[in-house]
């Protein structure tokens, strides 16, 4: 006999806060498994702010039921940043008992009872576009308002496989290995720069001077050296067809914690910064290896200048000591 009170499949709430809806729209491009398979055989998407058929009190009652009767049985996915100004009134999920139920209240109440909490997209993970200056609604990341671990799946928007893979991992194996920013290492374990098909051009200082050219995009602002994501190998457009650099435009670092304030101007190249994780070939750094082993791109550029490999135009544009401010990583415990 089937107990109707016990869900046969894992339950998911997909809540939208301050968002453009790009992450849910991107998820619709997922394949193997696709969105249809997710909601029909893998899990039960009990609440979807964008595609759900119910509205008003019917929709809010679904959330009430999940919070009260399915504690620790659902995954809460939040898309969008959380406005905190005026007690959160800049994002209202719905009305409960005749009063506005803000996103700030909703994520705290639903998050307290969830089995896992997942931030979908850079806005939820790190604040993103909505938290950019001057940030009139005082938007913050999901983690900033929750006193529990949030699994961050950044991207503007998310690659559908980053989210589909994370959800499936949670359902089938539990929590995936996470990095210091609470991102699944499966998808964010390497820099775009180290996976890039144009890395040879970078190593040989062959740079595009404008978008549309088929060379390394570093000089015109590529943030691949400081952005952790597997875009070059996973690619986008449903069929794994392309990604920004392959489409001859620089990576703007949309999956990074610094996006977007820390990544502008998008079309100006990174200053000479220390970049942990950059692989610099020994013969490029040469005698300087012992002195600058940890300098990453700085060492590479220094080597290029000394050997005359660096394009004249890039030499002219090298910054005079300005440092890119990298947002500090999350503390242990993800508080
Ligand atoms: S700077 Fe950008 S385009 Fe150049 S190799 Fe790195 S990721 Fe690729």
């Amino acid at each position: 006999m089937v107990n109707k009170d016990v869900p046969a499949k894992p339950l998911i709430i997909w809540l939208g806060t301050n968002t453009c809806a790009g992450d849910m729209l991107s998820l619709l491009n997922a394949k193997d498994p696709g969105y249809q398979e997710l909601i029909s055989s893998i899990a039960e998407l009990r609440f979807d702010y964008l595609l759900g058929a119910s509205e008003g009190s019917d929709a809010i009652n679904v959330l009430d039921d999940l919070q009260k009767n399915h504690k620790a049985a659902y995954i809460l996915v939040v898309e969008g940043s959380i406005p905190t100004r005026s007690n959160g009134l800049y994002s209202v999920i719905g009305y409960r008992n005749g009063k506005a139920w803000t996103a700030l209240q909703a994520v705290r109440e639903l998050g307290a009872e969830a089995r896992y909490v997942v931030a979908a997209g850079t806005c939820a993970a790190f604040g993103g576009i909505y938290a950019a200056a001057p940030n009139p609604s005082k938007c913050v990341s999901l983690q900033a308002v929750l006193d529990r671990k949030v699994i961050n799946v950044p991207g503007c928007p998310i690659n559908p496989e980053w989210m589909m893979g994370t959800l499936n991992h949670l359902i089938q194996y539990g929590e995936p290995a996470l990095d210091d920013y609470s991102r699944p290492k499966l998808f964010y374990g390497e820099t775009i720069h180290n996976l890039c098909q144009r890395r040879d051009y970078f190593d040989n200082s062959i740079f595009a001077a404008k978008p549309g050219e088929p060379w390394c995009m570093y000089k015109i602002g590529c943030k691949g050296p400081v952005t952790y994501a597997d875009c070059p190998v996973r690619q986008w457009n449903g069929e794994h067809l392309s990604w920004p650099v392959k489409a001859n435009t620089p990576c703007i670092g949309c999956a990074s914690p610094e996006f977007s304030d820390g990544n502008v101007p998008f079309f100006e190249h990174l200053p000479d910064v220390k970049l942990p994780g950059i692989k610099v070939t020994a013969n490029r750094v040469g005698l300087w290896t012992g002195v600058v082993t940890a300098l990453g791109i700085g060492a590479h550029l220094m080597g290029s200048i000394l050997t005359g490999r660096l394009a004249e135009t890039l030499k002219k544009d090298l910054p005079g000591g300005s440092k890119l401010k990298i947002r500090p990583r999350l503390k242990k415990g993800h508080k």
Side-chain angles (χ1 to χ4, degrees):
M1 186 172 156
V2 177
N3 183 346
K4 289 182 182 166
D5 293 332
V6 179
K9 288 180 282 189
L11 303 172
I12 297 175
I13 299 173
W14 190 295
L15 203 66
T17 57
N18 271 18
T19 175
C20 67
D23 299 302
M24 175 50 79
L25 291 174
S26 186
L27 189 74
L28 296 177
N29 281 315
K31 295 212 164 171
D32 303 322
Y35 179 83
Q36 179 69 26
E37 199 174 344
L38 173 72
I39 63 172
S40 60
S41 59
I42 296 171
E44 188 180 333
L45 193 48
R46 189 67 73 86
F47 182 93
D48 180 340
Y49 82 100
L50 190 65
L51 304 176
S54 62
E55 58 182 324
S57 58
D58 286 346
I60 298 301
N61 288 344
V62 172
L63 294 174
D64 278 341
D65 174 62
L66 285 162
Q67 184 192 348
K68 287 179 190 142
N69 302 320
H70 297 284
K71 294 179 192 293
Y74 61 85
I75 299 171
L76 173 65
V77 182
V78 176
E79 174 181 351
S81 57
I82 315 298
T84 58
R85 190 172 193 167
S86 304
N87 295 320
L89 273 173
Y90 287 82
S91 179
V92 173
I93 300 298
Y95 288 83
R96 287 205 308 188
N97 306 320
K99 289 186 180 166
W101 194 30
T102 66
L104 181 60
Q105 292 171 312
V107 299
R108 282 179 169 161
E109 291 174 33
L110 295 168
E113 307 299 346
R115 182 168 181 77
Y116 300 108
V117 178
V118 180
T122 300
C123 291
F126 305 123
I129 294 278
Y130 290 90
N135 193 1
S137 56
K138 296 200 184 315
C139 276
V140 297
S141 69
L142 181 60
Q143 184 67 78
V145 299
L146 291 191
D147 191 21
R148 62 166 294 168
K149 181 186 284 184
V150 172
I151 297 168
N152 289 324
V153 184
C156 189
I158 48 168
N159 185 300
E161 291 182 5
W162 297 341
M163 179 54 69
M164 200 61 87
T166 300
L167 290 176
N168 274 281
H169 201 291
L170 290 173
I171 291 168
Q172 296 189 36
Y173 309 111
E175 186 180 296
L178 304 173
D179 69 6
D180 289 349
Y181 285 108
S182 204
R183 300 174 293 198
K185 290 181 181 177
L186 269 169
F187 309 114
Y188 304 93
E190 187 56 275
T191 63
I192 284 176
H193 187 62
N194 283 342
L195 299 172
C196 183
Q197 294 89 349
R198 298 190 185 184
R199 179 60 188 265
D200 274 356
Y201 294 134
F202 177 89
D203 288 343
N204 288 286
S205 303
I206 302 171
F207 297 105
K210 59 180 184 299
E213 294 183 346
W215 321 118
C216 170
M217 295 279 157
Y218 171 75
K219 184 187 159 189
I220 54 172
C222 187
K223 304 301 185 289
V226 290
T227 304
Y228 284 75
D230 62 6
C231 298
V233 289
R234 188 168 302 282
Q235 305 196 73
W236 293 70
N237 308 101
E239 302 286 353
H240 313 283
L241 292 174
S242 191
W243 68 288
V245 168
K246 191 172 175 183
N248 293 322
T249 187
C251 161
I252 59 173
C254 75
S256 68
E258 293 75 31
F259 187 78
S260 58
D261 279 353
N263 287 6
V264 291
F266 290 142
F267 289 90
E268 278 186 19
H269 70 73
L270 293 163
D272 190 7
V273 293
K274 180 179 175 182
L275 296 171
I278 298 294
K279 292 170 185 163
V280 181
T281 37
N283 65 344
R284 299 239 161 259
V285 181
L287 290 173
W288 291 85
T289 307
V291 183
V292 290
T293 43
L295 286 182
I297 205 169
H300 169 80
L301 287 176
M302 181 66 78
S304 295
I305 292 167
L306 290 171
T307 56
R309 287 194 304 271
L310 199 66
E312 286 302 319
T313 45
L314 182 56
K315 284 185 202 173
K316 179 163 59 71
D317 289 345
L318 278 173
S322 63
K323 303 286 182 196
L324 182 72
K325 195 174 171 202
I326 304 292
R327 223 173 265 181
R329 297 192 168 205
L330 299 179
K331 291 179 188 154
K332 292 267 186 235
H334 309 277
K335 297 282 176 73

